[in-house]
Amino acid sequence: MCMIKQFLRDVDWGELDYLIVDTPPGTSDEHLSVVQYLSSAQIDGAVIITTPQEVSLQDVRKEIRFCQKVNLPVIGVVENMSGFVCPKCKNTSQIFPPTTGGAEKMCADLSLPLLGRVPLDPRIGRSCDEGKSFLSEVPESPAVAA
């Protein structure tokens, strides 16, 4: 909690276009603290990230309800690991199949925009490990387009 306070209250970030706070799933005290510390900053809202499988969607629904309770607008939802596109043959496989409709159905049910789907590409991890920009290293990847 002290670290959150230090990052959000005691650090002069200067003029920012975006401040991205990546939190684990759930609705813990940490989430409440982030919202409280940022409330005076007139934040635009939260972008919620999920994966297609139902266990992730269950956590995300709780997070969306949390945002609604604390009057934090939900800008939209991004579905990560939305299919796997083989870097060699370009075929798509559903490693994490959306058995209950995935983010698309959840967004439709909750009247939220689905901002996009990012397919799984193992070259993302490799680029990160090598300290290289995935966007410039593999510009033809469907994950870059997403």
Side-chain angles (χ1 to χ4, degrees):
M1 299 296 274
C2 290
M3 184 180 75
I4 292 170
K5 179 184 176 204
Q6 184 174 8
F7 277 125
L8 298 179
R9 277 190 129 180
D10 301 339
V11 174
D12 181 1
W13 293 99
E15 189 68 29
L16 295 177
D17 292 326
Y18 300 96
L19 176 64
I20 298 172
V21 180
D22 183 7
T23 62
T27 54
S28 64
D29 290 341
E30 291 84 0
H31 292 99
L32 188 55
S33 293
V34 168
V35 171
Q36 287 174 340
Y37 290 132
L38 291 176
S39 64
S40 62
Q42 300 173 341
I43 58 177
D44 295 321
V47 174
I48 307 293
I49 312 297
T50 188
T51 56
Q53 66 270 46
E54 182 57 30
V55 69
S56 178
L57 295 167
Q58 289 174 5
D59 281 339
V60 163
R61 285 185 196 97
K62 291 176 191 173
E63 190 69 32
I64 291 168
R65 282 192 296 277
F66 168 81
C67 289
Q68 292 167 338
K69 285 180 183 177
V70 297
N71 296 316
L72 177 63
V74 175
I75 296 168
V77 177
V78 174
E79 187 176 79
N80 196 18
M81 297 189 236
S82 186
F84 167 78
V85 180
C86 176
K88 296 194 187 311
C89 71
K90 309 298 183 215
N91 287 331
T92 300
S93 302
Q94 294 299 325
I95 295 175
F96 303 109
T99 57
T100 60
E104 183 173 14
K105 181 173 183 323
M106 181 193 70
C107 286
D109 291 347
L110 299 174
S111 300
L112 292 171
L114 178 62
L115 301 176
R117 292 184 179 98
V118 181
L120 188 60
D121 188 325
R123 298 171 295 181
I124 295 172
R126 188 173 339 124
S127 292
C128 292
D129 288 347
E130 294 171 358
K132 297 177 181 175
S133 168
F134 175 71
L135 301 176
S136 59
E137 289 290 311
V138 194
E140 76 282 357
S141 170
V144 170

